[in-house]
Amino acid sequence: MTGLNIYYHPLYTDGIDSKSRFPRERYKLIYELLQESDFKELINFISSPICKKQDLLLAHDKIFVEKFLTNTLSTQEKRKIGLQPWNDHIIERTMRIMGGSVSAVDSAIKGSISANMAGGTHHAFHHYGAGYCVFNDLAVSAYVAKRDFNIQKILIIDLDVHQGDGTASILKEDKNTFTFSMHCEKNYPLKKEKSDLDISLLKNTNDSTYLEILEKNLKKLENVKSEMIFFQAGVDTLKSDSLGYLSLSHSGLKIRNKKILRFAEKRENPIVVFMGGGYSKPIDDTVLAFRDLFIQCALYAQKNKVI
Ligand SMILES: [Zn+2]
């Protein structure tokens, strides 16, 4: 199959209650925009399967997993995750997001790139969820890649505006997985964890400064060995985002994405793209930025060239 495999499911939107403050419509809107775009033929939407419980247990505490799956987390534990009020589909939604990410690993190995149109749930820790993240799909996918595909060295590039704290924490003892997080200093989470490489940016950092710092750090990453790349491509770095404090433009973000794709291409590493955050108000800017990202990925998949 040619083109870009994107894992998607209607529950990405419908599994969040319509009364939730989370902008649940974004998934459906991005899907619709991509269906209408001239690049539609380059994308294969694949229904995200339900993740296997044993995959979750590679990165998460058994009791926490059981409590979530039986809907017996405490009110406090649920509040820490957010997305409330929880509807009847939140468990299936979560398991499909996790399944989408795990399946994207397989797809990327076979075809150089693949994506999940959700996920990048980097705030989830080993025994609890936080910040809209129940389980950590980056960590679970890293362990699945090692277990099922004999991929040992994974490089996680997390460019969401928020630090990848859960990922850094879960993978801190794993010397073969390198975690890089470039985020805004004065942003959630208040308490940062230690990634293998953390770059904290000042509030209101603009395109030129951001891209210069990214370039410098990608140079540093040239010394890190990897067989596969995970890209957490949050677009909450946009100036219009309501939860981020950076000042990137749409064209700045496209250059950012291009740099990461080019980086993966240069070292011939398969790359999995995880969606990450995006909370512009209204949501249109977020939706457009993600549409652009997935089109860039689709063109990369088609020609294996960076556009
Ligand atoms: Zn974020």
Side-chain angles (χ1 to χ4, degrees):
M1 201 186 282
T2 56
L4 174 70
N5 287 351
I6 298 185
Y7 288 84
Y8 171 74
H9 196 279
L11 278 183
Y12 286 2
T13 289
D14 298 334
I16 296 178
D17 195 275
S18 60
K19 291 186 285 297
S20 172
R21 280 190 306 167
F22 188 90
R24 65 176 203 147
E25 295 299 323
R26 65 182 196 174
Y27 306 99
K28 199 192 314 192
L29 292 169
I30 300 161
Y31 176 74
E32 286 168 3
L33 270 191
L34 289 171
Q35 289 286 17
E36 287 163 13
S37 89
D38 296 341
F39 302 95
K40 188 189 161 202
E41 303 305 322
L42 304 182
I43 297 172
N44 316 304
F45 284 103
I46 301 176
S47 181
S48 304
I50 289 175
C51 187
K52 295 190 192 91
K53 192 164 93 180
Q54 66 260 36
D55 292 350
L56 299 179
L57 296 174
L58 294 169
H60 291 286
D61 174 61
K62 197 173 171 200
I63 294 170
F64 168 52
V65 171
E66 287 297 341
K67 278 168 84 177
F68 177 74
L69 293 179
T70 52
N71 196 18
T72 51
L73 288 176
S74 69
T75 308
Q76 201 186 355
E77 287 170 310
K78 287 183 179 177
R79 198 177 298 137
K80 206 171 168 56
I81 293 168
L83 303 170
Q84 283 155 315
W86 286 11
N87 70 19
D88 293 344
H89 303 295
I90 191 91
I91 296 170
E92 186 180 342
R93 174 186 193 266
T94 304
M95 295 304 271
R96 288 200 185 272
I97 289 177
M98 298 302 293
S101 294
V102 166
S103 306
V105 171
D106 185 17
S107 272
I109 291 168
K110 289 178 182 143
S112 82
I113 184 167
S114 71
N116 188 3
M117 226 175 78
T121 46
H122 58 172
H123 299 310
F125 283 68
H126 174 255
H127 58 286
Y128 63 91
Y132 302 146
C133 307
V134 181
F135 301 121
N136 193 309
D137 61 342
L138 296 148
V140 168
S141 299
Y143 286 124
V144 168
K146 289 167 200 283
R147 185 195 62 192
D148 296 349
F149 301 101
N150 197 28
I151 298 265
Q152 295 309 320
K153 299 215 172 279
I154 297 169
L155 169 58
I156 301 181
I157 299 178
D158 185 337
L159 299 184
D160 192 278
V161 81
H162 305 100
Q163 196 215 17
D165 56 343
T167 317
S169 167
I170 293 173
L171 295 168
K172 69 173 178 281
E173 304 299 337
D174 186 333
K175 299 291 167 236
N176 283 322
T177 307
F178 192 97
T179 52
F180 166 49
S181 177
M182 188 161 126
H183 47 266
C184 181
E185 184 187 13
K186 295 268 189 292
N187 244 136
Y188 178 95
L190 200 63
K191 180 184 172 291
K192 308 282 191 282
E193 296 291 324
K194 203 177 170 335
S195 312
D196 292 302
L197 177 60
D198 281 300
I199 301 297
S200 291
L201 302 169
L202 296 175
K203 273 186 175 183
N204 301 317
T205 297
N206 62 14
D207 285 350
S208 56
T209 310
Y210 182 95
L211 293 168
E212 197 181 302
I213 295 172
L214 178 61
E215 187 64 37
K216 208 163 76 187
N217 284 286
L218 288 177
K219 281 259 175 318
K220 275 191 208 166
L221 292 180
E222 282 174 10
N223 299 318
V224 174
K225 285 202 175 74
S226 65
E227 297 158 73
M228 184 161 204
I229 291 172
F230 290 174
F231 177 25
Q232 207 280 20
V235 302
D236 43 12
T237 42
L238 270 179
K239 188 179 170 61
S240 58
D241 198 88
S242 66
L243 298 183
Y245 298 116
L246 297 183
S247 279
L248 263 65
S249 69
H250 283 282
S251 59
L253 261 185
K254 278 166 88 169
I255 299 170
R256 175 198 81 168
N257 300 337
K258 190 157 117 175
K259 282 184 187 293
I260 304 307
L261 293 174
R262 188 170 283 159
F263 183 85
E265 181 185 44
K266 222 166 120 184
R267 52 173 61 198
E268 296 178 359
N269 280 178
I271 178 168
V272 181
V273 179
F274 300 74
M275 200 164 114
Y279 315 93
S280 293
K281 278 187 183 163
I283 199 68
D284 310 42
D285 266 355
T286 294
V287 170
L288 289 175
F290 278 129
R291 179 203 60 181
D292 291 348
L293 165 76
F294 290 121
I295 289 174
Q296 286 178 290
C297 294
L299 291 166
Y300 179 80
Q302 186 203 23
K303 298 175 186 163
N304 201 13
K305 267 188 196 151
V306 182
I307 309 298

